[in-house]
Amino acid sequence: MRTDPILRVCNLSKRFGGVNAVYDVSFYLYEGETLGIIGPNGSGKSTLINLITGFVKPDSGKVYFRGRDITGITPDKAVSLGIARSFQLVRPFYNMAVYKNLVIPLYSPRVRKLKGGKYGDRDEVAIHLLEEVGFERDSQVPFKTAGTLPHGYMKRLELARCLSLQPEVVILDELFSGMSMSEIASMLPLLEKINREEGRTLIMVEHRLRELFRVVGKVIVLNFGMKIAEGTPAEVMEVEEVRKAYLGSEVEAGA
Amino acid sequence: MVKRGYRKERLDRGIKARSDDIFAIASWRETLYLILPRAAVIVSLLAFPLLKDVLGHYWQNVMLITCTIALLALSWDLLASVGLVSLGQALFFGVGAYLAGFLSRTFGWTPLLTIPASTVAGALLCTAILFPVLRLRGIYFGLITFALPLLMMRMIEATKILGGTEGLSGLPPLPDITFELYLVITAALVCAFGFKRLMDTDYGLVLRAIRDNDRSVLASGINIQWYKAQAVFIAALPGTFAGAFLTHHYQFVGMPAFALDFSILPLTSVVIGGAGTFAGAVLGAFILVPLSEVLRAFGTLRVVIYCSFLIIFTIGLPEGIFRFIERKYHQFERVVPLEEVRA
């Protein structure tokens, strides 16, 4: 027997008005695994993330982190436990210098508890983190205001914000959207490093399937808020319902 | 068609660029460039109480009120830095004022004890009162803060506690006017520079981030409710201090402590001086309060002149006077022709 899953979601449901945004979704994930969540627009992927990370309270169902019930936890508590998420719509602090953006998460109780750090040190750590996610060293970019960054860099900044929290579970909501092919290609080794070397559990919501399948070992497919398939990328692609609901033309064109 | 135009170009002065760098401690000129404006303000404020024979009792009192309003304006500016726009600084003022009156009447404490006690206890009380509404944003928070002083005022009137409509009078005074002036001027200076300093630390950065984008702060693992409460506490300190101070100055506290003036004057001071700079809040108070005193000579027309002044400044100089002066100090402007634009 293996130990408890790091994350277990049981029969999670959420209604918005008359719409089932997420309906009876269950899955589990062991430490160090990677999971992709895919599905057509409006299928409840982002809501599922919001339910897990505490931004939205579920109507019913449970979320367990390392066997502990964390249903309806507040987002900051979720981070304190080690679950960090990025936003689909990038939300940097537009008026601050890029590296100062990372001082905020570095000031959080979680990071302070893990390794202390004083005023001033955080700036150094922030610049180092930016370098890690692909901001060129010795360039002026980390010192510009975040509002002036190109979109791809904002996405990297979002990723850096997640990583700065030293999370055990990293949840990335459409990290690749709006990134060019070469930008994505440069992100893939980093994601592998996060997962393989640092052993962080990775959950990715994505529309860019081909790139996603290079990173994740397991996929769940949502449609109209319900889980319609689960398995390895290859298995999922074979499911008739998945092809019909979502992949359709892309499978024929791509595979 | 070829259009030709001009644009205004702003450039940092050479001395500004040098002062930002290591030269600031290497050369007297650069050091003075940084210190002189601040030193001039501090010295002239501290010298003011010494001029009592020249200026007379009246202007000393005006100075006292000006500093009180400056403290409330600083309080407003700090709250606004966290994204909490308050329309009711009178709440802080009134709570501080009444606490000082209550402590002094009930326990017979000296003002030197009641002022610090009611400053801290008042700020805690205000934080507790505002805690449930901290999750509200924008105009909703503003409305609640607008209503709270009115509620307090009517509650005192209806329940006749704390002297009811009569208020509490005959409270012990502070030693003398020079002492009072130094106390309130020091408080304003400490708050203005202290708040500025606070907002430049990592802690202040978190507060500013909450204003900019609270969801990202949440996702960064920070409990924004707790930080907002801390900000309210810090912001309430100058407000409750101002209230407690004026209680002992007038040796009286009554329902006017929750009056609208104490909400509106600080707010307009910040708008005129420039929000987010703290120095602007003080500057605004130092323009508005003496101005409204000078305008007393015009009788009822005073309000008309006063309001026109406000409107002109809000439209003509929305960034605030302080930012305007700061820009002129640090940068020079020149008009340069645009490159040819084909339209």
Side-chain angles (χ1 to χ4, degrees), chain B residues 219-232:
Chain B
S220 300
I222 287 170
N223 184 341
I224 56 174
Q225 219 59 18
W226 176 233
Y227 273 80
K228 277 184 179 175
Q230 290 175 12
V232 169

Side-chain angles (χ1 to χ4, degrees), chain B residues 285-301:
Chain B
F286 271 81
I287 292 171
L288 275 188
V289 181
L291 178 79
S292 81
E293 289 302 321
V294 170
L295 290 178
R296 267 183 207 283
F298 293 89
T300 323
L301 210 55

Side-chain angles (χ1 to χ4, degrees), chain A residues 50 55 75-77 79-80 84-85 87 91-96 100-101 103-105 107-110 112 118-120 122-123 158 161 165, chain B residues 135 137 197-227 230:
Chain A
N50 284 338
F55 279 87
D76 55 291
K77 292 256 172 55
V79 171
S80 296
R85 57 124 358 133
F87 287 100
R91 296 158 174 269
F93 307 110
Y94 288 100
N95 301 320
M96 286 179 202
K100 285 285 184 194
N101 267 258
V103 172
I104 314 292
Y107 196 80
S108 66
R110 174 174 175 84
R112 278 194 292 174
K118 294 195 299 276
Y119 173 76
R122 296 195 190 95
D123 293 355
E158 271 290 295
R161 189 176 55 70
L165 294 163
Chain B
R135 62 182 68 248
R137 265 182 284 183
R197 183 97 190 212
L198 179 77
M199 290 313 280
D200 284 339
T201 62
D202 286 354
Y203 178 81
L205 204 66
V206 172
L207 296 187
R208 271 189 282 157
I210 291 174
R211 180 196 57 192
D212 285 357
N213 181 350
D214 51 358
R215 281 183 44 122
S216 264
V217 180
L218 263 180
S220 300
I222 287 170
N223 184 341
I224 56 174
Q225 219 59 18
W226 176 233
Y227 273 80
Q230 290 175 12

